[in-house]
Amino acid sequence: QVQLVESGGGLVQAGGSLRLSCAASGSILSINAMGWYRQAPGKQRELVAAITRSGSTNYADSSKGRFTISRDNAKNTAYLQMNSLKPEDTAVYYCNADSVWTPWGRKDYWGQGTQVTVSS
């Protein structure tokens, strides 16, 4: 079984910064892509940023220039550095691990979510 554990959420004032971490644990052989999604109340879950195993990144337009995604393949951990936060960034942030290979096959996983609240 694979688990994703997120940390780093919290309350911050507009213009501030937060760093989210997502650690994957279990019988992991490799992880293709890791990404961060968010869901605000009454809205659909949306992509924030994603990164492949080789380091290629993809950002939502709302994230470009403010957020940076990175990962440590040896630790099966992804990070999201969020700067210049805005009240509209308030949401539950979810970590996703795409195509996680274990001795028993391939599967996608989601973390439990971490709340990010940006006050104006």
Side-chain angles (χ1 to χ4, degrees):
Q1 185 71 339
V2 173
Q3 287 189 324
L4 301 184
V5 178
E6 299 127 333
S7 60
L11 173 65
V12 65
Q13 288 188 332
S17 298
L18 284 174
R19 187 184 192 222
L20 306 183
S21 297
C22 171
S25 63
S27 301
I28 298 170
L29 300 176
S30 68
I31 302 174
N32 179 26
M34 298 186 77
W36 289 94
Y37 291 72
R38 69 186 183 188
Q39 188 167 18
K43 295 188 177 182
Q44 289 188 333
R45 190 173 297 189
E46 62 178 6
L47 173 70
V48 176
I51 184 168
T52 67
R53 184 171 180 80
S54 62
S56 297
T57 58
N58 180 36
Y59 292 92
D61 288 343
S62 59
S63 305
K64 290 178 182 176
R66 300 188 300 127
F67 296 178
T68 301
I69 189 169
S70 60
R71 67 187 280 181
D72 184 333
N73 290 332
K75 296 181 179 180
N76 291 322
T77 299
Y79 308 93
L80 184 68
Q81 178 67 44
M82 304 187 293
N83 299 327
S84 302
L85 283 161
K86 306 174 181 179
E88 50 264 43
D89 294 317
T90 296
V92 178
Y93 284 68
Y94 296 91
C95 177
N96 170 263
D98 175 74
S99 295
V100 180
W101 283 96
T102 69
W104 302 279
R106 183 184 68 180
K107 188 177 177 181
D108 299 344
Y109 292 89
W110 288 91
Q112 80 285 357
T114 185
Q115 177 70 45
V116 171
T117 302
V118 184
S119 63
S120 58

